[in-house]
Amino acid sequence: MAAGFKTVEPLEYYRRFLKENCRPDGRELGEFRTTTVNIGSISTADGSALVKLGNTTVICGVKAEFAAPPTDAPDKGYVVPNVDLPPLCSSRFRSGPPGEEAQVASQFIADVIENSQIIQKEDLCISPGKLAWVLYCDLICLDYDGNILDACTFALLAALKNVQLPEVTINEETALAEVNLKTKNYLNIRTHPVATSFAVFDDTLLIVDPTGEEEHLATGTLTIVMDEEGKLCCLHKPGGSGLTGAKLQDCMSRAVTRHKEVKKLMDEVIKSMKPK
Amino acid sequence: MEGTMHADAKIRAETGTESGPRGPGCSLRHFACEQNLLSRPDGSASFMQGDTSVLVGVYGPAEVKVSKEIFNKATLEVILRPKIGLPGVAEKSREQLIRNTCEAVVLGALHPRTSITVVLQVISDAGSLLACCLNAACMALVDAGVPMRALFCGVTCTLGADGTLVLDPTAKQEKEARAVLTFALDSVEQKLLMSTTKGLYSDAELQQCLAAAQAASQHVFRFYRESLQRRYSKS
């Protein structure tokens, strides 16, 4: 009977749960789904991470290649993110050029990398004006069940922490790059941005970590990206119902606690990794 | 062109000089708005903030493709064309921001199974581009007669390295700033409809910027009202 009601009146069905301050999957309004992370699973990539936020699954692979640094910044390398939402993850995506959601997610990740200064681009430079690293970060969603931005940010962070770059020296005589695959260094990750997403219901209620259905029923979404010092890298609210300053304040405090949870998980995973 | 209204309003949060560079603290650049300047779209507007200028045309409510139609409300589409080059991923991201902001205020339920298309063309970019786009889109939607439950406006503010707040920055100020925050606020309660930010800032600074933006939005809404009053008082 409940299944029938859910199909016919999904919003009313949902409101019944919200009135009791819980959600159909049993979570509290401020509770995240079980987060799991697996690092270094792709051996052909220089760094990789698989993040599961409930059912939402995102895998990030980082490949490092050589490139000439940009002419207006000869001592900087590149970090190029790309989020792919293939038809595999959800029936709403078709094959072909990236849809709007994938492009927006790619732009969001690029902004997070830029704003949070997670990697100093100068660290990626090998020889100013001649050679620099370019890190291609490919994020592929394997299962779309809402809250894609949080999963992508976490996957990116975990993958970048896993990246090992070989030492490169430029041979003076031949002017060619010599790669020493035996000596590998981890990247210098300066900050740890963590994203927390909220969905706004009926213009008033804020719920954390929305699932696919909740996102569909919501009247607005909000994503906050915070680093460890409590500084905000990104406040992404793409339209939707209005929020007051006080509600934003509540979201901030939730984002701070989420950051601690994620950081703890990350540290555990990194510690448990056996050195190569 | 019948009904063109050129409304000039110099809006400052504090008393300042008549023209020239603005004083320190919070003040907005010279605003100008023209409506109904294109003959084909149902509504059009050109909004100028200092040297930043955006031209918007609104078509709707009009026919919608069956694949895109929503059974109980209007489908909103936004197309943003940059001044130079082909639209890229950044434009797509901005289109989503503008579209979701418009969807929050437009009463789509009054026109189910129709489409409302907002086309924005960047004429010149001298800072605060997204805010100018939002303001122009609002004016164009009003000109087209699309039913809305509130007006909205865009305000950009920047934080300098020492924490100084500048509203409605020029391109140079945006580049030198530590953080650039753009907000869309509604006219009823100045609630935050849309927000997009660049750079690092603290929670307290965010609240400060939001408060400043809410104060500045009052001026923008007053400008909208004066502009529309002048337009309709003629006829």
Short mmCIF file of all heavy atoms in Angstrom, two decimals, chain A residues 131-188:
data_model
loop_
_atom_site.label_atom_id
_atom_site.label_comp_id
_atom_site.label_asym_id
_atom_site.label_seq_id
_atom_site.Cartn_x
_atom_site.Cartn_y
_atom_site.Cartn_z
N LEU A 131 59.00 22.38 -19.54
CA LEU A 131 58.30 21.12 -19.25
C LEU A 131 57.55 21.22 -17.94
O LEU A 131 58.07 21.76 -16.96
CB LEU A 131 59.32 19.98 -19.17
CG LEU A 131 58.76 18.58 -19.43
CD1 LEU A 131 58.23 18.47 -20.84
CD2 LEU A 131 59.85 17.54 -19.21
N ALA A 132 56.36 20.69 -17.92
CA ALA A 132 55.57 20.66 -16.69
C ALA A 132 54.67 19.44 -16.73
O ALA A 132 54.41 18.88 -17.79
CB ALA A 132 54.73 21.93 -16.56
N TRP A 133 54.23 19.06 -15.53
CA TRP A 133 53.28 17.95 -15.45
C TRP A 133 51.88 18.47 -15.72
O TRP A 133 51.52 19.57 -15.33
CB TRP A 133 53.27 17.36 -14.03
CG TRP A 133 54.43 16.51 -13.66
CD1 TRP A 133 55.39 16.79 -12.73
CD2 TRP A 133 54.76 15.21 -14.17
NE1 TRP A 133 56.29 15.77 -12.63
CE2 TRP A 133 55.92 14.77 -13.51
CE3 TRP A 133 54.19 14.38 -15.13
CZ2 TRP A 133 56.53 13.54 -13.76
CZ3 TRP A 133 54.79 13.15 -15.37
CH2 TRP A 133 55.95 12.76 -14.69
N VAL A 134 51.08 17.63 -16.37
CA VAL A 134 49.66 17.92 -16.43
C VAL A 134 48.96 16.71 -15.84
O VAL A 134 49.23 15.57 -16.21
CB VAL A 134 49.18 18.23 -17.88
CG1 VAL A 134 49.60 17.16 -18.85
CG2 VAL A 134 47.68 18.40 -17.94
N LEU A 135 48.10 16.94 -14.84
CA LEU A 135 47.39 15.85 -14.18
C LEU A 135 45.97 15.79 -14.74
O LEU A 135 45.18 16.69 -14.52
CB LEU A 135 47.32 16.09 -12.67
CG LEU A 135 48.63 16.11 -11.92
CD1 LEU A 135 48.40 16.49 -10.48
CD2 LEU A 135 49.31 14.75 -11.98
N TYR A 136 45.68 14.74 -15.48
CA TYR A 136 44.33 14.55 -15.99
C TYR A 136 43.54 13.76 -14.95
O TYR A 136 43.86 12.60 -14.68
CB TYR A 136 44.35 13.76 -17.31
CG TYR A 136 44.92 14.55 -18.45
CD1 TYR A 136 46.16 14.22 -19.01
CD2 TYR A 136 44.22 15.62 -19.00
CE1 TYR A 136 46.67 14.95 -20.06
CE2 TYR A 136 44.74 16.35 -20.05
CZ TYR A 136 45.97 16.01 -20.57
OH TYR A 136 46.48 16.73 -21.62
N CYS A 137 42.55 14.38 -14.34
CA CYS A 137 41.73 13.72 -13.31
C CYS A 137 40.41 13.36 -13.95
O CYS A 137 39.61 14.24 -14.25
CB CYS A 137 41.48 14.64 -12.14
SG CYS A 137 42.96 15.42 -11.53
N ASP A 138 40.19 12.08 -14.16
CA ASP A 138 38.94 11.64 -14.76
C ASP A 138 38.05 11.04 -13.68
O ASP A 138 38.43 10.09 -13.03
CB ASP A 138 39.20 10.58 -15.83
CG ASP A 138 39.94 11.18 -17.00
OD1 ASP A 138 39.51 12.23 -17.48
OD2 ASP A 138 40.96 10.60 -17.41
N LEU A 139 36.89 11.64 -13.48
CA LEU A 139 35.94 11.13 -12.49
C LEU A 139 34.78 10.51 -13.25
O LEU A 139 34.15 11.17 -14.06
CB LEU A 139 35.43 12.26 -11.60
CG LEU A 139 36.51 12.90 -10.74
CD1 LEU A 139 36.74 14.31 -11.14
CD2 LEU A 139 36.09 12.83 -9.28
N ILE A 140 34.56 9.24 -12.97
CA ILE A 140 33.48 8.55 -13.67
C ILE A 140 32.48 8.07 -12.62
O ILE A 140 32.85 7.42 -11.64
CB ILE A 140 34.02 7.36 -14.48
CG1 ILE A 140 35.02 7.89 -15.49
CG2 ILE A 140 32.89 6.63 -15.18
CD1 ILE A 140 35.82 6.82 -16.16
N CYS A 141 31.22 8.39 -12.85
CA CYS A 141 30.19 7.96 -11.93
C CYS A 141 29.73 6.58 -12.36
O CYS A 141 29.39 6.38 -13.53
CB CYS A 141 29.04 8.94 -11.95
SG CYS A 141 27.68 8.41 -10.93
N LEU A 142 29.74 5.65 -11.42
CA LEU A 142 29.32 4.29 -11.78
C LEU A 142 27.89 4.02 -11.35
O LEU A 142 27.24 3.13 -11.87
CB LEU A 142 30.25 3.27 -11.12
CG LEU A 142 31.71 3.40 -11.52
CD1 LEU A 142 32.57 2.47 -10.70
CD2 LEU A 142 31.87 3.08 -13.00
N ASP A 143 27.42 4.80 -10.39
CA ASP A 143 26.06 4.61 -9.90
C ASP A 143 25.58 5.95 -9.38
O ASP A 143 26.21 6.53 -8.50
CB ASP A 143 26.07 3.57 -8.77
CG ASP A 143 24.67 3.07 -8.45
OD1 ASP A 143 23.69 3.71 -8.87
OD2 ASP A 143 24.57 2.03 -7.77
N TYR A 144 24.50 6.46 -9.96
CA TYR A 144 24.04 7.79 -9.58
C TYR A 144 22.87 7.68 -8.62
O TYR A 144 21.77 7.30 -9.03
CB TYR A 144 23.60 8.54 -10.85
CG TYR A 144 23.31 10.00 -10.64
CD1 TYR A 144 24.23 10.97 -11.00
CD2 TYR A 144 22.12 10.41 -10.06
CE1 TYR A 144 23.98 12.30 -10.80
CE2 TYR A 144 21.86 11.74 -9.85
CZ TYR A 144 22.78 12.68 -10.23
OH TYR A 144 22.52 14.01 -10.02
N ASP A 145 23.10 8.01 -7.35
CA ASP A 145 21.97 8.04 -6.43
C ASP A 145 22.02 9.32 -5.63
O ASP A 145 21.90 9.34 -4.42
CB ASP A 145 22.01 6.81 -5.51
CG ASP A 145 20.69 6.61 -4.76
OD1 ASP A 145 19.67 7.19 -5.20
OD2 ASP A 145 20.69 5.92 -3.73
N GLY A 146 22.23 10.43 -6.31
CA GLY A 146 22.20 11.73 -5.65
C GLY A 146 23.55 12.09 -5.04
O GLY A 146 24.41 11.24 -4.82
N ASN A 147 23.73 13.38 -4.76
CA ASN A 147 24.91 13.88 -4.09
C ASN A 147 26.20 13.54 -4.82
O ASN A 147 27.18 13.06 -4.24
CB ASN A 147 24.99 13.35 -2.65
CG ASN A 147 25.76 14.29 -1.78
OD1 ASN A 147 26.25 15.32 -2.23
ND2 ASN A 147 25.92 13.92 -0.53
N ILE A 148 26.18 13.82 -6.11
CA ILE A 148 27.33 13.49 -6.93
C ILE A 148 28.52 14.39 -6.63
O ILE A 148 29.69 13.98 -6.70
CB ILE A 148 26.94 13.57 -8.43
CG1 ILE A 148 27.94 12.82 -9.30
CG2 ILE A 148 26.80 14.96 -8.93
CD1 ILE A 148 27.73 11.39 -9.27
N LEU A 149 28.24 15.64 -6.25
CA LEU A 149 29.33 16.59 -6.04
C LEU A 149 30.18 16.22 -4.84
O LEU A 149 31.42 16.32 -4.88
CB LEU A 149 28.77 18.01 -5.88
CG LEU A 149 28.04 18.56 -7.10
CD1 LEU A 149 27.47 19.93 -6.80
CD2 LEU A 149 28.95 18.64 -8.31
N ASP A 150 29.54 15.78 -3.77
CA ASP A 150 30.30 15.38 -2.59
C ASP A 150 31.20 14.20 -2.91
O ASP A 150 32.37 14.16 -2.54
CB ASP A 150 29.34 14.95 -1.47
CG ASP A 150 28.71 16.12 -0.77
OD1 ASP A 150 28.84 17.25 -1.28
OD2 ASP A 150 28.11 15.91 0.29
N ALA A 151 30.61 13.22 -3.61
CA ALA A 151 31.37 12.01 -3.93
C ALA A 151 32.55 12.35 -4.83
O ALA A 151 33.67 11.85 -4.65
CB ALA A 151 30.46 10.99 -4.60
N CYS A 152 32.32 13.22 -5.82
CA CYS A 152 33.41 13.58 -6.75
C CYS A 152 34.52 14.30 -6.02
O CYS A 152 35.71 14.03 -6.25
CB CYS A 152 32.88 14.49 -7.86
SG CYS A 152 31.91 13.62 -9.10
N THR A 153 34.17 15.23 -5.14
CA THR A 153 35.21 15.99 -4.42
C THR A 153 36.05 15.04 -3.57
O THR A 153 37.28 15.15 -3.55
CB THR A 153 34.58 17.05 -3.52
OG1 THR A 153 33.48 17.64 -4.19
CG2 THR A 153 35.57 18.12 -3.17
N PHE A 154 35.38 14.15 -2.86
CA PHE A 154 36.11 13.21 -2.02
C PHE A 154 36.99 12.28 -2.85
O PHE A 154 38.15 12.02 -2.51
CB PHE A 154 35.10 12.41 -1.18
CG PHE A 154 35.71 11.62 -0.06
CD1 PHE A 154 37.06 11.75 0.26
CD2 PHE A 154 34.95 10.72 0.67
CE1 PHE A 154 37.62 11.02 1.28
CE2 PHE A 154 35.50 9.99 1.70
CZ PHE A 154 36.84 10.13 2.01
N ALA A 155 36.44 11.79 -3.98
CA ALA A 155 37.22 10.89 -4.83
C ALA A 155 38.45 11.60 -5.38
O ALA A 155 39.55 11.04 -5.43
CB ALA A 155 36.36 10.37 -5.97
N LEU A 156 38.27 12.85 -5.76
CA LEU A 156 39.40 13.61 -6.30
C LEU A 156 40.48 13.77 -5.24
O LEU A 156 41.68 13.56 -5.51
CB LEU A 156 38.92 14.98 -6.77
CG LEU A 156 40.01 15.89 -7.30
CD1 LEU A 156 40.39 15.47 -8.70
CD2 LEU A 156 39.57 17.33 -7.31
N LEU A 157 40.07 14.15 -4.03
CA LEU A 157 41.03 14.36 -2.96
C LEU A 157 41.79 13.08 -2.66
O LEU A 157 43.03 13.08 -2.55
CB LEU A 157 40.28 14.84 -1.72
CG LEU A 157 41.11 15.10 -0.47
CD1 LEU A 157 42.10 16.20 -0.73
CD2 LEU A 157 40.21 15.49 0.69
N ALA A 158 41.05 11.97 -2.56
CA ALA A 158 41.69 10.69 -2.24
C ALA A 158 42.64 10.26 -3.35
O ALA A 158 43.76 9.79 -3.09
CB ALA A 158 40.63 9.63 -1.99
N ALA A 159 42.22 10.46 -4.60
CA ALA A 159 43.08 10.05 -5.73
C ALA A 159 44.34 10.89 -5.78
O ALA A 159 45.44 10.38 -6.02
CB ALA A 159 42.31 10.18 -7.04
N LEU A 160 44.20 12.21 -5.52
CA LEU A 160 45.39 13.06 -5.58
C LEU A 160 46.36 12.70 -4.46
O LEU A 160 47.58 12.79 -4.64
CB LEU A 160 44.99 14.54 -5.48
CG LEU A 160 44.38 15.12 -6.75
CD1 LEU A 160 43.87 16.52 -6.50
CD2 LEU A 160 45.38 15.15 -7.89
N LYS A 161 45.82 12.28 -3.31
CA LYS A 161 46.72 11.87 -2.23
C LYS A 161 47.45 10.59 -2.59
O LYS A 161 48.50 10.30 -2.03
CB LYS A 161 45.91 11.65 -0.95
CG LYS A 161 45.56 12.94 -0.25
CD LYS A 161 45.38 12.74 1.23
CE LYS A 161 46.65 13.13 1.94
NZ LYS A 161 46.48 13.94 3.11
N ASN A 162 46.88 9.85 -3.52
CA ASN A 162 47.46 8.56 -3.91
C ASN A 162 48.46 8.69 -5.05
O ASN A 162 49.19 7.75 -5.36
CB ASN A 162 46.29 7.63 -4.29
CG ASN A 162 46.74 6.25 -4.67
OD1 ASN A 162 46.43 5.76 -5.74
ND2 ASN A 162 47.50 5.62 -3.79
N VAL A 163 48.48 9.87 -5.71
CA VAL A 163 49.31 10.02 -6.90
C VAL A 163 50.78 10.02 -6.53
O VAL A 163 51.20 10.68 -5.59
CB VAL A 163 48.96 11.35 -7.63
CG1 VAL A 163 49.99 11.68 -8.68
CG2 VAL A 163 47.59 11.26 -8.26
N GLN A 164 51.54 9.27 -7.28
CA GLN A 164 53.00 9.27 -7.10
C GLN A 164 53.62 9.66 -8.43
O GLN A 164 53.40 9.01 -9.45
CB GLN A 164 53.49 7.88 -6.69
CG GLN A 164 53.20 7.58 -5.25
CD GLN A 164 53.73 6.22 -4.86
OE1 GLN A 164 53.42 5.23 -5.50
NE2 GLN A 164 54.55 6.19 -3.84
N LEU A 165 54.42 10.73 -8.42
CA LEU A 165 55.06 11.17 -9.65
C LEU A 165 56.53 10.77 -9.64
O LEU A 165 57.22 10.97 -8.65
CB LEU A 165 54.96 12.70 -9.77
CG LEU A 165 53.58 13.28 -9.97
CD1 LEU A 165 53.66 14.80 -10.01
CD2 LEU A 165 52.97 12.76 -11.26
N PRO A 166 57.03 10.22 -10.75
CA PRO A 166 58.45 9.88 -10.80
C PRO A 166 59.30 11.14 -10.92
O PRO A 166 58.83 12.19 -11.33
CB PRO A 166 58.57 9.03 -12.07
CG PRO A 166 57.43 9.45 -12.91
CD PRO A 166 56.33 9.88 -11.98
N GLU A 167 60.57 10.99 -10.57
CA GLU A 167 61.46 12.15 -10.68
C GLU A 167 61.88 12.36 -12.11
O GLU A 167 62.20 11.40 -12.82
CB GLU A 167 62.70 11.91 -9.83
CG GLU A 167 62.57 12.52 -8.46
CD GLU A 167 63.89 12.49 -7.73
OE1 GLU A 167 64.88 12.97 -8.29
OE2 GLU A 167 63.89 11.95 -6.63
N VAL A 168 61.89 13.59 -12.53
CA VAL A 168 62.26 13.90 -13.92
C VAL A 168 63.42 14.87 -13.91
O VAL A 168 63.38 15.89 -13.21
CB VAL A 168 61.07 14.54 -14.67
CG1 VAL A 168 61.44 14.78 -16.12
CG2 VAL A 168 59.86 13.66 -14.57
N THR A 169 64.44 14.56 -14.67
CA THR A 169 65.55 15.50 -14.83
C THR A 169 65.71 15.78 -16.32
O THR A 169 65.51 14.91 -17.16
CB THR A 169 66.86 14.91 -14.29
OG1 THR A 169 66.96 13.57 -14.76
CG2 THR A 169 66.90 14.93 -12.78
N ILE A 170 66.13 17.00 -16.58
CA ILE A 170 66.34 17.36 -17.99
C ILE A 170 67.83 17.19 -18.27
O ILE A 170 68.66 17.79 -17.61
CB ILE A 170 65.94 18.82 -18.25
CG1 ILE A 170 64.51 19.06 -17.81
CG2 ILE A 170 66.15 19.17 -19.71
CD1 ILE A 170 63.49 19.09 -18.87
N ASN A 171 68.13 16.32 -19.21
CA ASN A 171 69.50 16.08 -19.60
C ASN A 171 70.05 17.33 -20.29
O ASN A 171 69.48 17.80 -21.26
CB ASN A 171 69.54 14.87 -20.56
CG ASN A 171 70.95 14.40 -20.78
OD1 ASN A 171 71.88 15.21 -20.87
ND2 ASN A 171 71.10 13.09 -20.88
N GLU A 172 71.17 17.86 -19.77
CA GLU A 172 71.69 19.13 -20.30
C GLU A 172 72.08 19.01 -21.77
O GLU A 172 71.84 19.91 -22.57
CB GLU A 172 72.94 19.57 -19.50
CG GLU A 172 72.68 19.81 -18.02
CD GLU A 172 71.87 21.08 -17.81
OE1 GLU A 172 72.09 22.05 -18.53
OE2 GLU A 172 71.01 21.06 -16.93
N GLU A 173 72.68 17.86 -22.13
CA GLU A 173 73.23 17.75 -23.50
C GLU A 173 72.13 17.53 -24.53
O GLU A 173 72.06 18.20 -25.55
CB GLU A 173 74.25 16.62 -23.57
CG GLU A 173 75.42 16.85 -22.63
CD GLU A 173 75.98 15.55 -22.10
OE1 GLU A 173 75.31 14.50 -22.27
OE2 GLU A 173 77.04 15.58 -21.52
N THR A 174 71.27 16.54 -24.24
CA THR A 174 70.28 16.21 -25.27
C THR A 174 68.99 17.04 -25.13
O THR A 174 68.14 17.00 -26.00
CB THR A 174 69.87 14.73 -25.18
OG1 THR A 174 69.32 14.50 -23.87
CG2 THR A 174 71.08 13.83 -25.37
N ALA A 175 68.86 17.77 -24.01
CA ALA A 175 67.65 18.57 -23.73
C ALA A 175 66.39 17.71 -23.70
O ALA A 175 65.30 18.18 -23.96
CB ALA A 175 67.49 19.69 -24.76
N LEU A 176 66.58 16.42 -23.39
CA LEU A 176 65.41 15.54 -23.29
C LEU A 176 65.14 15.25 -21.82
O LEU A 176 66.04 15.31 -20.99
CB LEU A 176 65.69 14.21 -24.00
CG LEU A 176 65.62 14.23 -25.53
CD1 LEU A 176 66.05 12.90 -26.07
CD2 LEU A 176 64.22 14.57 -26.00
N ALA A 177 63.92 14.89 -21.56
CA ALA A 177 63.57 14.58 -20.18
C ALA A 177 63.91 13.13 -19.88
O ALA A 177 63.62 12.25 -20.69
CB ALA A 177 62.10 14.83 -19.97
N GLU A 178 64.51 12.92 -18.71
CA GLU A 178 64.80 11.54 -18.30
C GLU A 178 63.97 11.22 -17.09
O GLU A 178 64.05 11.90 -16.07
CB GLU A 178 66.30 11.41 -17.97
CG GLU A 178 67.13 11.34 -19.22
CD GLU A 178 68.61 11.41 -18.89
OE1 GLU A 178 68.96 11.43 -17.69
OE2 GLU A 178 69.41 11.47 -19.83
N VAL A 179 63.17 10.19 -17.22
CA VAL A 179 62.25 9.82 -16.15
C VAL A 179 62.84 8.68 -15.35
O VAL A 179 63.23 7.66 -15.91
CB VAL A 179 60.89 9.40 -16.75
CG1 VAL A 179 59.94 9.00 -15.65
CG2 VAL A 179 60.31 10.52 -17.58
N ASN A 180 62.91 8.86 -14.06
CA ASN A 180 63.44 7.81 -13.19
C ASN A 180 62.25 7.15 -12.50
O ASN A 180 61.71 7.68 -11.53
CB ASN A 180 64.37 8.45 -12.17
CG ASN A 180 65.06 7.39 -11.32
OD1 ASN A 180 64.71 6.21 -11.38
ND2 ASN A 180 66.04 7.82 -10.55
N LEU A 181 61.82 6.00 -13.03
CA LEU A 181 60.62 5.37 -12.51
C LEU A 181 60.82 4.76 -11.13
O LEU A 181 59.86 4.38 -10.48
CB LEU A 181 60.11 4.30 -13.49
CG LEU A 181 59.43 4.87 -14.73
CD1 LEU A 181 59.23 3.81 -15.78
CD2 LEU A 181 58.10 5.50 -14.38
N LYS A 182 62.09 4.66 -10.69
CA LYS A 182 62.32 4.00 -9.41
C LYS A 182 62.02 4.95 -8.25
O LYS A 182 61.51 4.55 -7.22
CB LYS A 182 63.76 3.51 -9.32
CG LYS A 182 64.11 2.52 -10.41
CD LYS A 182 64.64 1.22 -9.86
CE LYS A 182 64.80 0.17 -10.94
NZ LYS A 182 65.49 0.64 -12.17
N THR A 183 62.35 6.24 -8.43
CA THR A 183 62.09 7.20 -7.34
C THR A 183 60.76 7.89 -7.61
O THR A 183 60.60 8.57 -8.61
CB THR A 183 63.18 8.26 -7.27
OG1 THR A 183 63.32 8.83 -8.57
CG2 THR A 183 64.50 7.66 -6.82
N LYS A 184 59.83 7.68 -6.67
CA LYS A 184 58.52 8.31 -6.88
C LYS A 184 58.20 9.13 -5.65
O LYS A 184 58.43 8.71 -4.52
CB LYS A 184 57.45 7.24 -7.09
CG LYS A 184 57.55 6.61 -8.46
CD LYS A 184 56.27 5.90 -8.82
CE LYS A 184 56.31 5.54 -10.29
NZ LYS A 184 55.04 5.03 -10.75
N ASN A 185 57.60 10.29 -5.87
CA ASN A 185 57.21 11.16 -4.77
C ASN A 185 55.72 11.39 -4.78
O ASN A 185 55.11 11.53 -5.84
CB ASN A 185 57.90 12.52 -4.91
CG ASN A 185 59.39 12.39 -4.90
OD1 ASN A 185 59.95 11.64 -4.11
ND2 ASN A 185 60.04 13.08 -5.82
N TYR A 186 55.18 11.47 -3.58
CA TYR A 186 53.76 11.83 -3.46
C TYR A 186 53.62 13.32 -3.72
O TYR A 186 54.54 14.10 -3.55
CB TYR A 186 53.24 11.52 -2.05
CG TYR A 186 52.95 10.06 -1.85
CD1 TYR A 186 53.82 9.24 -1.15
CD2 TYR A 186 51.78 9.49 -2.35
CE1 TYR A 186 53.54 7.90 -0.96
CE2 TYR A 186 51.49 8.16 -2.17
CZ TYR A 186 52.38 7.37 -1.48
OH TYR A 186 52.10 6.04 -1.29
N LEU A 187 52.43 13.71 -4.13
CA LEU A 187 52.16 15.12 -4.36
C LEU A 187 52.03 15.84 -3.02
O LEU A 187 51.65 15.25 -2.03
CB LEU A 187 50.82 15.28 -5.09
CG LEU A 187 50.79 15.01 -6.58
CD1 LEU A 187 49.37 15.10 -7.07
CD2 LEU A 187 51.67 16.00 -7.32
N ASN A 188 52.34 17.12 -3.05
CA ASN A 188 52.19 17.93 -1.86
C ASN A 188 50.76 18.49 -1.82
O ASN A 188 50.46 19.49 -2.46
CB ASN A 188 53.23 19.07 -1.91
CG ASN A 188 53.12 19.95 -0.70
OD1 ASN A 188 52.51 19.58 0.30
ND2 ASN A 188 53.72 21.12 -0.77
#
